[in-house]
CSV table of all heavy atoms in Angstrom, one decimal:
chain,number,residue,atom,x,y,z
I,1,MET,N,62.6,-115.2,-124.3
I,1,MET,CA,62.1,-115.5,-122.9
I,1,MET,C,60.8,-114.7,-122.7
I,1,MET,O,60.9,-113.5,-122.9
I,1,MET,CB,63.2,-115.1,-121.9
I,1,MET,CG,62.7,-115.1,-120.5
I,1,MET,SD,62.6,-116.7,-119.7
I,1,MET,CE,64.3,-117.2,-119.6
I,119,GLY,N,50.3,-129.7,-104.3
I,119,GLY,CA,50.6,-128.5,-104.9
I,119,GLY,C,49.8,-128.3,-106.2
I,119,GLY,O,49.2,-127.2,-106.4
I,145,HIS,N,65.6,-145.1,-113.7
I,145,HIS,CA,66.6,-146.1,-113.5
I,145,HIS,C,66.5,-146.5,-112.1
I,145,HIS,O,66.6,-145.7,-111.2
I,145,HIS,CB,68.0,-145.6,-113.8
I,145,HIS,CG,68.2,-145.0,-115.2
I,145,HIS,ND1,68.1,-145.8,-116.3
I,145,HIS,CD2,68.2,-143.8,-115.6
I,145,HIS,CE1,68.3,-145.0,-117.4
I,145,HIS,NE2,68.3,-143.8,-117.0
I,151,SER,N,64.6,-147.2,-103.4
I,151,SER,CA,63.2,-147.6,-104.0
I,151,SER,C,62.1,-146.5,-103.7
I,151,SER,O,61.4,-146.2,-104.7
I,151,SER,CB,62.8,-148.9,-103.4
I,151,SER,OG,62.6,-148.8,-102.0
I,176,ILE,N,47.0,-124.5,-119.0
I,176,ILE,CA,48.0,-124.8,-118.0
I,176,ILE,C,49.1,-125.7,-118.5
I,176,ILE,O,48.9,-126.6,-119.2
I,176,ILE,CB,47.3,-125.6,-116.8
I,176,ILE,CG1,46.2,-124.7,-116.1
I,176,ILE,CG2,48.3,-126.0,-115.7
I,176,ILE,CD1,45.4,-125.4,-115.0
I,198,GLY,N,77.2,-143.7,-98.8
I,198,GLY,CA,78.2,-144.6,-99.3
I,198,GLY,C,77.6,-145.7,-100.2
I,198,GLY,O,78.3,-146.7,-100.6
I,207,TRP,N,82.4,-134.1,-105.8
I,207,TRP,CA,81.5,-132.9,-105.6
I,207,TRP,C,81.6,-132.1,-107.0
I,207,TRP,O,80.6,-131.5,-107.3
I,207,TRP,CB,82.0,-132.1,-104.5
I,207,TRP,CG,81.0,-131.1,-104.0
I,207,TRP,CD1,81.1,-129.7,-104.2
I,207,TRP,CD2,79.7,-131.3,-103.4
I,207,TRP,NE1,79.9,-129.1,-103.6
I,207,TRP,CE2,79.1,-130.1,-103.2
I,207,TRP,CE3,79.1,-132.5,-103.0
I,207,TRP,CZ2,77.8,-130.0,-102.6
I,207,TRP,CZ3,77.8,-132.4,-102.4
I,207,TRP,CH2,77.2,-131.2,-102.2
Side-chain angles (χ1 to χ4, degrees):
M1 170 77 69
H145 307 285
S151 62
I176 301 179
W207 197 251

